[in-house]
Amino acid sequence: MSLPRISGAPAIWLGLAASAWSMLFVWQGLDFTDMGFWLTDYQEFYTHPKAIGSFGGACWLSCFIGHWAGVALGGGVLAYKLGFVVVNTLSAMLSYRLLAYQFGPSHLLAAMVLLAVFFKRLICFDWIGYYEMTALFYLAGAALLFCGLVRHRKLLVLLAGVVLGAGIFVRLPNVLGLALGSAVWLQAWACRWTWREAFAGSAWFAGGF
């Protein structure tokens, strides 16, 4: 049992549409309040680490990823906004893949995911920030956990714990990702696992976390 590949017209259409929608906000310029604060943290992550604000210290992985996204995409405000496009598109594609396993790939499903991308833009930044990275880490962790449970692969369950545990350093409140470990017990109940199997699955997840 495995997830369907991200292929075919609906997936391609979704990726292009999500990227195009995100690109509309790349050209809006610099916000000197929140955006200026965070881009300074990204740019000074190595050169002047003491300049990073106390709040940035609780989100050091966001600053680390933001720094290297800026380096990889050429630096400047535009680079961090392109990072937003990349993360937003990856999140949309991953969401589609997870849902397509349950409902089957279709243009309607891709359109519903795209609608969620539209609404997401109303509450999130238009540069690569901890909101976008939090969503991506949660989706990646959930995908690994799902695959690990349905394929009975303990390594994937362990990796799910690692990804969700790393998400704490994207933003401290992401410690709540530990609650996704309850999926192990739901799977154990649905598939009538033994107590030993349920505890073993939980241990693999907690070990990674």
Side-chain angles (χ1 to χ4, degrees):
M1 186 180 295
S2 61
L3 292 175
R5 294 182 179 180
I6 300 180
S7 60
I12 295 172
W13 174 82
L14 173 63
L16 292 174
S19 297
W21 169 255
S22 301
M23 284 292 292
L24 293 177
F25 306 96
V26 165
W27 319 104
Q28 289 186 341
L30 173 65
D31 170 8
F32 284 95
T33 53
D34 281 349
M35 187 178 184
F37 174 84
W38 282 104
L39 296 198
T40 299
D41 282 358
Y42 296 168
Q43 292 178 337
E44 305 300 324
F45 186 78
Y46 288 107
T47 53
H48 298 287
K50 292 183 179 180
I52 296 177
S54 58
F55 188 62
C59 306
W60 71 264
L61 187 56
S62 292
C63 295
F64 176 82
I65 295 173
H67 172 84
W68 287 106
V71 171
L73 296 172
V77 174
L78 182 60
Y80 301 106
K81 292 189 172 233
L82 289 175
F84 158 78
V85 175
V86 172
V87 172
N88 219 27
T89 303
L90 287 175
S91 295
M93 297 294 286
L94 192 51
S95 298
Y96 176 77
R97 180 171 186 175
L98 282 169
L99 292 169
Y101 173 83
Q102 184 66 33
F103 301 107
S106 68
H107 284 90
L108 177 60
L109 179 61
M112 293 176 68
V113 173
L114 183 62
L115 183 63
V117 173
F118 290 165
F119 282 103
K120 178 175 176 285
R121 172 62 190 85
L122 300 177
I123 62 171
C124 292
F125 306 134
D126 59 355
W127 70 92
I128 183 171
Y130 59 70
Y131 286 140
E132 292 74 27
M133 286 185 270
T134 289
L136 184 59
F137 270 71
Y138 266 111
L139 283 166
L144 287 168
L145 182 59
F146 181 81
C147 290
L149 291 175
V150 299
R151 296 180 185 178
H152 303 286
R153 295 186 180 179
K154 296 178 181 178
L155 180 59
L156 293 180
V157 176
L158 178 69
L159 289 175
V162 170
V163 171
L164 292 168
I168 297 173
F169 302 102
V170 170
R171 190 171 183 236
L172 192 58
N174 293 347
V175 68
L176 296 176
L178 184 61
L180 284 177
S182 61
V184 176
W185 288 91
L186 289 173
Q187 178 75 355
W189 173 76
C191 297
R192 298 184 179 182
W193 290 1
T194 64
W195 285 101
R196 181 177 179 180
E197 290 174 320
F199 277 112
S202 297
W204 278 92
F205 178 78
F209 199 90

